[in-house]
Amino acid sequence: MASSQHVLLSPAELAYLHASLSLTPPIRPDGRSPTQFRPLVAETGILPGTNGSARICFADGTEAIVGVKAEVERTRTRHDFPSLDLDEGAEDDDDLDDNQRDVVKGDNDWVEMTVEIPGYRDDDAGTVFLSAMLSEALLADGEFTKRLWINRRFHWKLYLDILLISPPLSYPLPLLSLTTHLALLATRLPRLKSEGDEDPLFDDDWAAAPYLYPRPTGKKGSKKAASAPTARPPVTLLVMAVGNNIIFDPSKEELAVADVALAVSVGESSSSSSTTSTSSSKPTAMDLDTEETKGHNLRLLSVRTIDPPSRLTPPGIPNASNSAYGANAGAKDTEKKKQQQEQARTAESEAVEGVWKAPRGGAKPLVMAALVQKVLEKGGVADEVLDALDGVDLN
Amino acid sequence: MPITILPPKAFRDQPPRRNLNHDSDDVMSDATSDSEDSDSQPGGVSLDGGVTIHPRKRRSAAAASSTFTKRPKTNVTSSVPRSAIVTPGERITTDPQWMRGHGTYLSSASLGEQAITSSLAGIVTRTNKLLSVRPLRARYTPEVGDLVVGRIVEVQAKRWRVDVGSTQLAALPLSAINLPGGILRKRTETDELQIRTFFAEGDLVVAEVQQLFQDGGAVLHTRSLKYGKLRNGVFMAVSGTGGGGGVVRSRRQVWTLEAANNGGPIDVILGVNGYVWISKHVEPVVPEEAKGQTGITNLEEVVSATMYSSQNDRIEPETMREIARIRGVVTALVENGLRVDEDMVTKGYNEAVELALVSADGPEDVYLGGERGEQLAAALTAV
């Protein structure tokens, strides 16, 4: 599956890029350090008709908008097991007060995510893959949908519309993920006035509307204690490896020479839930709870390998077997041609310096582990990205 | 710090051509206030007796009715706002005193009245009585003699199709290239069969526009030792920047720059189409047997021998670093709406080397994005 778009680069360019990214330290074409992201401009609350929205714009002009809309939906009761939900609720009732009879539970159907990339159909494999990755990260820990629970009969249905406004100049996953993150942080749902299982009634006052993700330092609407660490929406980071170098937020050209590319989804959870929650069924998505220090309480939510376009690139032709090169060009006699063909055969199997050769074979497990480790490092990139996202003014 | 997140800028401080998105409201209100305040507003007495209605006002009117309504046709501006953004099909003026310039056309408004209408999304500019619309973003329009950098996207039987950032693909006929070894002969079927050995899909070429078709399509040629396949460097596209930014036609589009920090000589090719190639400068290697002989034809043979190679030479890390720095300079120039030419790139590069000296990471720091790019641009415009 073509999970990342094909880029047309000449073998000479690919060879140069690969050589410069394999140096220690790597020299990226735009001069960034390996862990550095492209500078971006971010704002929230740009769409007045939504519950939460955000816009992120990279300096190169790639730009994404995310709008989050919520509507109240009646929770479907299972007709084949009519009493299942009630039974479970009743069991819990034994332990809990009458007021707390609500067992908060969520359903993945409560979130609907659409991704739109200009120039691509919405059922294009790449678009579907992007949306699957983003929603997978969001739903992985099952904590998110619990926030949408109103009472046993009603829930919020959340529509996330993710729009890439510019043509995809680079693989848009990190951009879309960061924008979605900000939009969800800025999302507010009207304050519930009704109680229990009655039809929900909401407060008209938008200023009183609590945030979907309550914030510790929030001025208004934060219900939780000020010091409690709060959960936050996940962030999906694109990491790639060239040789021994690990590079974050690759541009299109850099991705085109990647040996391995991974989309790593990282979430932060409140310390209480992190131990009890179970991760999704994916074997790679193990809980790697890092010890709690001053940093973020990072959790690995999901890992996906991105098929780097480098595998589809045509190989360069070494001068030795290039019939349009130098002395070979005039070669007319069959003797010379035969010699050339033999040289070409050896050149195909061996790497020649300065000639591009597409990476072959799968990713090495050690490299993959190193990539994930690098993301989750204490005080590492994911930590700092989350810190920086905290700094964005939410309104 | 791996990530810098900046708040959105107020577009007021910036030149109008950078209004690529969304915050155009500000500009429009600027334009409104400008034209209202100033007495120098063009147009004199409006002939149809109407009030000048600027986009901002129409917008708010539309917003007031709380539905998105089409602009009423009666709202024809009889005078011309100073620098408002217009969209294709938007009427600029019906006043007959204006002449139409680039980016506009005449359309019949009502009862034989001619209206100057924009055919582009851009900013209205006036030169005396000439009205033209400067596009926000524009594709390259080829002209004969332009030096362009292009990418082969299609290989056909007798020609290549080359992406030069224009509205159409340019054509590079097989007959318009130099054969390796400088051989002069008619192109045969054998050449046609092995057309991919010269240029294949994805290859970058530097070429010259030889001829133009009626529809604006270009025909290229590489029949010079200066032209041919590109290697040993990086490519970047800064095309599409309308209104003064980006690469401009200048005296020299190709030059060699002596890089700092032991970078050695570096070639910079600024294609007029906004495609830029920055590479290590390589002196042609003269083979041993040809050393004794001299002459122009011999040199031609030697140079064109490496013309179709796709194998990079050995490039030192120092050179790569300086190449990345030059690329950063060009990016910074474009992002800050400055023109890209030899003078600016050289100045910018020297400035960037100085900036790196005072940066925390020392001269090896080649990053010029974000704030540093702005710093660089500020230093360049201050001179």
Side-chain angles (χ1 to χ4, degrees), chain B residues 81-216:
Chain B
R82 243 190 208 167
S83 67
I85 290 181
V86 289
T87 50
E90 190 171 330
R91 206 164 288 168
I92 301 169
T93 182
T94 50
D95 196 333
Q97 66 166 320
W98 295 99
M99 291 193 299
R100 66 175 196 93
H102 286 294
T104 60
Y105 63 95
L106 281 174
S107 65
S108 53
S110 58
L111 298 169
E113 201 182 21
Q114 294 275 295
I116 296 180
T117 313
S118 168
S119 63
L120 300 169
I123 300 151
V124 179
T125 50
R126 18 180 212 102
T127 324
N128 297 325
K129 288 290 171 194
L130 183 74
L131 274 187
S132 50
V133 177
R134 217 169 52 179
L136 290 177
R137 292 179 69 73
R139 280 181 171 270
Y140 163 65
T141 353
E143 280 176 31
V144 172
D146 280 352
L147 180 119
V148 293
V149 174
R151 191 185 292 281
I152 310 281
V153 288
E154 202 180 325
V155 180
Q156 295 175 346
K158 284 178 184 171
R159 62 172 186 177
W160 294 271
R161 303 304 303 269
V162 189
D163 165 35
V164 288
S166 176
T167 47
Q168 297 160 74
L169 297 178
L172 174 64
L174 182 60
S175 57
I177 64 160
N178 270 345
L179 288 175
I183 311 158
L184 292 170
R185 60 171 169 82
K186 196 168 181 283
R187 307 296 183 271
T188 58
E189 278 175 12
T190 330
D191 296 319
E192 280 176 33
L193 285 176
Q194 53 175 1
I195 189 166
R196 274 200 177 76
T197 60
F198 304 118
F199 299 118
E201 289 94 341
D203 280 347
L204 283 170
V205 289
V206 53
E208 191 182 291
V209 179
Q210 186 172 33
Q211 190 189 332
L212 289 181
F213 287 127
Q214 279 281 306
D215 59 356

Side-chain angles (χ1 to χ4, degrees), chain A residues 8-13 16 20 29 31-32 35-37 39-42 63 317 319 322 324-326 353-354 384 388, chain B residues 1-6 8 22 151 180 202-204 234-235 305 308-312 314 317 320 323 327 335 366-367:
Chain A
L8 200 59
L9 291 174
S10 75
E13 276 180 287
Y16 179 91
S20 71
R32 287 181 284 159
T35 55
Q36 196 171 12
F37 278 59
L40 47 87
V41 173
E63 187 172 13
I317 303 163
N319 288 341
N322 190 345
Y325 175 77
E353 200 198 337
E384 298 213 18
Chain B
M1 191 70 181
I3 189 164
T4 43
I5 298 183
L6 310 163
H22 307 301
R151 191 185 292 281
D203 280 347
L204 283 170
V234 286
F235 169 79
Y308 298 106
S309 165
S310 60
Q311 176 168 354
N312 281 345
R314 192 179 157 67
M320 286 188 174
I323 287 176
R327 194 183 190 273
E335 277 176 8
V366 291
Y367 180 64

Side-chain angles (χ1 to χ4, degrees), chain A residues 302-323:
Chain A
S302 70
V303 177
R304 286 266 189 166
T305 53
I306 307 283
D307 197 9
S310 56
R311 290 173 198 279
L312 301 173
T313 50
I317 303 163
N319 288 341
S321 55
N322 190 345
S323 62

Side-chain angles (χ1 to χ4, degrees), chain A residues 108 129 132-142 263-266 278-288 299-305:
Chain A
N108 287 356
F129 189 56
M133 262 190 295
L134 290 170
S135 58
E136 172 186 87
L138 194 59
L139 303 173
D141 59 356
V264 184
S265 299
V266 176
T278 54
S279 75
S280 59
S281 57
K282 283 178 303 303
T284 44
M286 55 217 147
D287 279 280
L288 286 188
R299 290 180 63 211
L300 182 66
L301 293 173
S302 70
V303 177
R304 286 266 189 166
T305 53

